Every structure is written in structure tokens, then in C-alpha cells.
Amino acid sequence: MGSNSDRKPFNNKTIEWIDQRLPIFTMLDKEYGKFPTPRNFNYFWNFGAIAMFMLVTMIVTGITLAMHYTPHANYAFDSVERIMRDVNFGWLIRYIHMNGASFFFIAVYIHIFRGMYYGSFKQPRELLWILGVTIFLLMMATAFMGYVLPWGQMSFWGATVITNLFSAVPIVGPGIVEWMWGGFAVDNATLNRFFSLHFVLPFVIAAVVFLHVWALHVTGSNNPTGLDVKGPQDTLPFNPYYTIKDLFGLIVFVAVYAMFIFFMPNALGHPDNYIPANPLVTPPHIVPEWYFLTFYAILRSIFFDFNPIMLAGFGGIGYYVAKVVWDKNRTDYFSTRNLIILGVSGFLTLVGFVGAFFPQLHIPLTNMVIIEAKLGGVLAMFGAVGLLFVLPWCDTHPVRSARYRPLYKAALLFFVAIVLLLGYVGAMPAEGIWPWIGLAATGYYMAFFLVILPILSKHEKALPLPASIAQAVLDEQAAKAAKLAKKGA
Amino acid sequence: MMMSHFKKVALTALALCMIGAPVHAAEGHKYPLPDMDWSFEGPFGTYDKAALQRGFLVYKQVCSACHGMKKLYYRHLEALGYSEAQIKTIAAEYTVMDGPNDEGEMFERPARPSDKFKLPYANDKAAMYANGGALPPDMSLIVKAREGGADYVYGVLVGYTNPPEGVVLGNNQHYNKFKSGNIIAMANPLNDGQVTYEDGTPQTADQYAKDVTHFLAWAAEPEMEQRKQMGVKVLIFLAVFAMIMYAVKRKIWEDVH
Ligand code: HEM
């Protein structure tokens, strides 16, 4: 007796023949046909399907490009230009792929924002969320290596800057970097392995997307109210309601994407990448692609070495956050003892900074370097991504949706503003006021996860929740009708 | 202009998700680039074949002494409106190295349409030696490889002025308003009357600059006309498709709303 006994037969003979042996049609019907889906999705729920479409697009165009591309330092640039000029519709394939990376990130950034705003990362969807962040990390690695392949000036120098980051790791760093390069500089060996990895990683992403969607179909989707589905009145079958809505949204997205492909294909890129790589000429400003700018700014926001005084201060603040802020049962934020801890560690941090920036004051111990700026920056950058992984444990408030949590909503929208600001800072030369703005913004980024969310989880009083998803839909319709009636009168 | 309006609309659509564009701060004084009205701008932009042919003439008679165009073959000139016979004649003006022949010898022969544009120098070292240490960049992609594109290239060609007070020029240095950093190792290449036009177009340095830039813009993006024409069709299709899908969606959702 197999696992295939309680199957409903199909009318079509061929389908039935296949389904008896491999119940793929039963599965499709269950997961995408009848699949009960909350009835109140807004258009933010389109971006998962859009991201899926982009992944497929990238794989198809990528494989086609790989048929004509030559991964060799001497020929890579020319082979890309050959694709642009001599391969039939090569320019089209390349521009779809090139702009596709940007639009994939746009879709995924909106998708992630949706998850944060409506609390989709919360119990029981933590693993679904973690798989999503894993996809995001893999996407970053893939996009970074892909950008190296045309072997233009930004390819080469971007690769040099980013791989060099790993030299910040104590002791083994320089060894790791040479191991990654396959030599003593970014060169042909590096290009070859990046091509190999850029080819295979999207298939790894596809595998993780499969797990991600599997996990989604176990828990079912969240929805704009963040309420659990309580019964059939709260849901609609996925097909036709959401197949058509996803299709409509996808076409609008693709139209914007097509505007870039056909009318400004290089607007999101950098002109320097049309100059062949030259290890002897460093471009005046090395900037990563726009979708990395936020993380690039965080990397560069640590522009000072950490001295022991500073670290002692940070340690004290960390102790306070871990013991007081993160403890569900404590509210004694400003007890005398805690004020003393905060005061002393704040003072130490301040002294550490003053010593670091005014060495002429000769403050003891502040000339000692415990963590170099470069390593600090790398830790901050990876920490920023790492925090996304642990988000479900930073925000443990029982109410999911920001609709009913005004304070969370404000903090989150401000967080989005900060992420955009960091992106802007990342595009600026690291001079003048910019690194300081970057530092302050990085501070908020970290504090959002580590301080604001735990405090809100403990104290925020949510607005009254609707009784159910169906009730929320009815309330909305009533409100709309009332508005219309008012207009008419 | 069409293009910039179009750009604005699309960029606004993305404003929420896009993060600041990379910014350049070159040393020297930054003059705003001339905003030219190129026929190839905008979603319906096309190249002007007469301008392309004149621009090619300027490139051939002036710039090609120092700048190569590695990505171009003589056969590509068909896109400028030249006939096959004309291209054969143009190519035959150049001598290229071929071989080895059956006896194992390299030999020279007149270029054919299937040959690449002949390069002015054997290699970068030779080019730098001949230009006082500065490398004249390859022109195939120059319009795509500079912030500002065609406006920038045109700007550099017409941007030569006397250096402002306090700027001291070295040997082989020239002051240029639009070159990033203002110092350029190329002497003003264009003078009035230098190239003879047969079609009555004014033979001024400014006109030469416009025409050669037009030609270089084509060289950087030979697919542009095809791309934009296809884009218009694709967008019309998508707009109609989206409207139909929206109508279908409304119909399907009618009973639940
Ligand atoms: C290759 C990239 C990705 C693809 C193809 C993808 C695909 C999907 C699809 C098809 C859905 C269901 C439709 C929807 O609810 O929008 C979904 C849901 C979800 N995704 Fe992704 N995803 C990707 C990346 C991510 C990332 C990077 C994250 C988070 C960091 C994430 C978090 C989630 C969450 C939490 C859900 C459940 C949403 C809900 O029901 O409210 N996904 N994903």
C-alpha cells in the first residue's frame, strides 16, 4: 500500500495515468488550486510570486548568456561585447539579465518589508522567514559574483575591495583571501571560480525557494490583519482568485522592468563598467551596485579602531540590554543600580571615543587597538544581515500586523527611512559628514532590532483587533460604503 | 525632452525602492554639461544617417590617428547607410596583416568588410609613447563609459578654454571645462574647416563635434534603434494585457467584494 490511496481520480485519461503513478496533479490542485488563502491580501502579497518569476527569468537568461560568454581575464570583456553586438538578440538577453538582478532585489526588498510590516516572520512562520533570509544572503553572493563577470573596471575593483574585507579576520584573514582569489590578486583564477559559483548558486537558491514555499504551505499565508485563519469564511481558493491577481500584478511589475530594459538599460549600472578591467588604474570612487549600498554604508560606518575603554563601555551597555531590556519580566530600566550601569558604561564609551579621535589627549589605553576598524566594519555588516535572521526573537509581541501596533509601525517606517538613508550614504564618498551620518544610522539599525523591538514587545498596547479576517473585510466594506454615501449626499 | 520625462516617470515609480545613485566628485571645477538635443534620445529616438556618415568621416580623418575602435568591423558601417560596394572601398583604403599563408609567411593585404577597424597603434605602450605618456582610450564604448554619455563627449570636444587664474598646466596638459578633473592630455583635435563635407553642412569645429559624437553614440549602442522600437511594442502589449487581466480580475472577484 503506497501513500497514494486517498486520491480523487481525474477525468482526463493521460492525467489520470500519470497521477496514479506520481500524484503531481493532485499536489498541484491541492497546493495551487484549492489551497485556502486568506481573502484579504493586498498587493504586497504579489511580490513572492514576482520574485519567483524573476528567479526563473534570471536562470533562463543566465544560461543563454553562458553559452556565449568566455570566463577568461583576457576575453571576458570582449565576449560580453560580442554578445551585445554580434549574437542575435544578445543585447536583449544581456539587458534582461542585467536589469533583472536589480528588479529581483526590488521585489525581494518589498517582499521582506511586507513580512516585517505584517509580522509574517512570527510564530509559526519563523523557519519560513529564516529560509527567506537565507535566500536573500545567497542572492547577494550570486549578484556580487555576477557583477564581476563582465570584467569591467567596477567588476575588478569591486571584487578587489570586497574580497579584501576578509583579510580583516585575525590571523587566518590573509590566507583566506589568497585562497578565495586562487592567487595573489584578483585575476583569471578568481574570474573562473566566480563564474562557476555564479552559475550554480541560483540553483541552490531555487532549492531553498522550494523549501521556503513548502514551509509556507504548511503554515498557510499570513494576511494584512495578521490574524489566524479561523474557518472557510476567512479564505478563498488560490485559483482563480489569486492566480489572476498575481498575474495582473506581475504584468504591471514587468512593464516597469521593461521600461528599464528597453529605454534606459544602463541607468542602474555604472559607466565605469564599460571600461575594461585594468589592475593599474583605480577608479576614483568604487561603488557597489545600488542594492548593496545600505550594507556598504554599514561596512564603512565603522571608521575607527575599537580601544579597550570603548569596548568596556559597549560591554556595559550590552550587559544592560541583555539583562534588563531582554528580560521579559523586568521593567526596572531606571532603577538606581541600572542607571549606574548605564551611566558608567556610557561614560566609558564617550571617553573611548574622545581618546580615539583626539590622540593628542593621551588618554590611557585609548591608543591600544583591540578590534581594527576594518574588522569592526565587517562585523557590523554581517551583523546587520544576521539580525534579520533573529528578528522573530527580537519582536515577540503577540500581535502580528503593524496595523494594530502604532508604535511598531512608526519604528518600522523610520527603520525603512534609515535603510534608505544608509543607501544614500553608501553612494557618497567617505568624506566629511557622511561617515558620521552613516554611524548614527547604523546605530539606529542595530538598536531597532536589539532595543526597540524587545521593549515594544513588552510594553506596546495594541489597538483592538477585529474578530476575524472575514469581519475585517466586512468592516472595511462598510467603511467604504459609508464614505461613498457621504460623498453622494 | 522625451527621454528625461520618460525617465522621471519610471524613476518615480521606483522611487520607494531605489536607493541613491552613485555620485562622482571629481577634483577640479565641475561645469554643468551642455544639454544637447540628440535625435537618438527618448523612447522614439533614432540615429540620423547623414550625421553618422559625417561623424564617421571626422573619426576617420581626425580621431583615428590616435583612437582605435576595437569593437567595430567595416561591415558594421552598413548601419550608417553605406552600400556594400562603398564599404569595400572604405575597407580597401587600409592594409592589414594576414596569414600565415601556405608557406607559413605573414603577408599584407587590403582590408575587407569582414576585418576589424584598423588600429592606429600596435599596442598600448606604443600609443602612450606617441602621446607623451597618455593613453588615448578606445572609442568603441566611450559614450557608455562616461557619466553624461554623448553630452559629455561633445562637451570634451568643445570644452577647451584658457585655464583659469592659478591653474598651471604641465607639458602635454590642456584645460578643458568638461573633462572630469579639467586637465586633459589631448590637444583640441577639431578646428573649423578641417574636414570637407560634401552635403553642405557647415564645416565648423562645433558641427564636427556634434557629428563625431553622434557616430560614437551609434558605435557604443548599435542596437539602440531596434531596442527602442521593440520596447514600444512590448510596452503597448503589456499595457493592453494588464488592462485585460485587470478586467478579468474584477470579474472574478465580483462575487466576493
Ligand atoms: C528568491 C527569492 C524569493 C522567492 C522566489 C520567494 C517566494 C515566495 C513566495 C512565492 C511566497 C508566497 C507568496 C507571498 O506571500 O508573497 C513567499 C512567502 C514568504 N516569503 Fe518569500 N521568496 C523569496 C525571498 C524571501 C526573502 C528574502 C524573505 C525574507 C527575508 C522571504 C520571506 C517570506 C515570508 C515570511 C513569506 C510568507 C508570507 C506570508 O504569508 O505573509 N522571502 N515567498
Side-chain angles (χ1 to χ4, degrees), chain B residues 57 196-201 203:
Chain B
L57 210 60
T196 310
Y197 282 160
E198 318 245 288
D199 62 356
T201 309
Q203 302 179 21

Side-chain angles (χ1 to χ4, degrees), chain A residues 32 41 44-53 55 104 108-109 111-112 114-115 118-121 125 128-137 139 205 209 212-213 216-217 219-223 238 246 388:
Chain A
Y32 288 101
F41 278 179
F44 273 120
W45 264 260
N46 279 55
F47 286 91
I50 289 173
M52 186 84 90
F53 170 83
L55 178 63
F104 196 176
V108 165
Y109 277 130
H111 190 64
I112 294 175
R114 186 280 316 263
Y118 295 108
S120 304
F121 56 86
R125 298 185 183 84
L128 171 60
W129 171 260
I130 288 174
L131 288 166
V133 184
T134 308
I135 294 167
F136 177 52
L137 249 181
M139 275 175 67
I205 294 178
V209 169
H212 180 80
V213 174
L216 172 74
H217 281 235
T219 62
S221 292
N222 185 30
N223 66 88
F238 190 84
D246 276 353
L388 283 172

Side-chain angles (χ1 to χ4, degrees), chain A residues 78 85 241 260 262-263 423, chain B residues 3 14 19 71 219 227 253:
Chain A
D78 288 347
R85 288 157 194 270
Y241 295 101
F260 276 81
F262 292 103
F263 299 114
Chain B
M3 183 60 176
L14 284 173
I19 314 183
K71 307 284 179 272
R227 166 160 60 75
W253 279 77

Side-chain angles (χ1 to χ4, degrees), chain B:
Chain B
M1 224 161 307
M2 276 307 258
M3 183 60 176
S4 60
H5 179 67
F6 201 70
K7 229 173 179 164
K8 253 179 239 156
V9 173
L11 284 173
T12 320
L14 284 173
L16 277 178
C17 23
M18 299 234 323
I19 314 183
V23 176
H24 273 274
E27 347 63 77
H29 186 80
K30 216 166 162 115
Y31 296 87
L33 287 178
D35 184 9
M36 305 294 290
D37 244 325
W38 303 106
S39 70
F40 48 82
E41 285 179 325
F44 303 102
T46 52
Y47 293 118
D48 171 353
K49 286 212 166 96
L52 288 179
Q53 292 199 4
R54 291 194 304 269
F56 171 60
L57 210 60
V58 176
Y59 167 73
K60 189 168 150 234
Q61 292 185 19
V62 185
C63 324
S64 71
C66 302
H67 295 284
M69 297 188 85
K70 284 189 189 144
K71 307 284 179 272
L72 292 196
Y73 290 76
Y74 291 109
R75 64 181 159 82
H76 288 150
L77 291 174
E78 225 181 289
L80 311 195
Y82 288 114
S83 69
E84 230 169 284
Q86 280 172 311
I87 294 172
K88 265 192 186 143
T89 319
I90 293 169
E93 290 172 34
Y94 300 89
T95 312
V96 293
M97 189 65 88
D98 201 348
N101 62 14
D102 293 345
E103 283 131 46
E105 305 287 341
M106 301 303 282
F107 62 93
E108 290 193 323
R109 62 160 173 78
R112 301 188 201 117
S114 57
D115 282 314
K116 283 189 164 184
F117 271 29
K118 179 148 187 190
L119 300 177
Y121 301 106
N123 51 55
D124 285 359
K125 285 265 165 61
M128 286 166 79
Y129 183 71
N131 286 279
L135 180 69
D138 189 88
M139 286 286 118
S140 324
L141 283 163
I142 195 80
V143 170
K144 271 167 126 180
R146 293 290 183 277
E147 200 88 51
D151 288 344
Y152 174 83
V153 171
Y154 168 79
V156 165
L157 294 174
V158 299
Y160 287 88
T161 56
N162 290 327
E165 202 86 30
V167 176
V168 186
L169 295 176
N171 207 10
N172 197 28
Q173 287 193 331
H174 310 269
Y175 192 83
N176 189 304
K177 283 204 303 196
F178 302 113
K179 166 85 164 92
S180 49
N182 299 137
I183 308 286
I184 187 164
M186 169 172 73
N188 185 357
L190 293 171
N191 297 297
D192 291 351
Q194 196 174 4
V195 179
T196 310
Y197 282 160
E198 318 245 288
D199 62 356
T201 309
Q203 302 179 21
T204 59
D206 185 70
Q207 186 62 38
Y208 296 149
K210 277 185 195 140
D211 291 342
V212 78
T213 304
H214 207 111
F215 168 72
L216 294 174
W218 164 79
E221 303 197 296
E223 88 296 345
M224 187 223 50
E225 288 184 356
Q226 192 194 5
R227 166 160 60 75
K228 287 180 177 171
Q229 281 157 14
M230 190 189 282
V232 170
K233 286 184 209 142
V234 167
L235 280 181
I236 291 173
F237 168 77
L238 287 173
V240 173
F241 194 19
M243 282 188 287
I244 295 172
M245 284 303 112
Y246 186 68
V248 175
K249 193 221 140 205
R250 289 286 295 243
K251 184 95 196 109
I252 289 177
W253 279 77
E254 214 169 36
D255 51 332
V256 285
H257 271 320

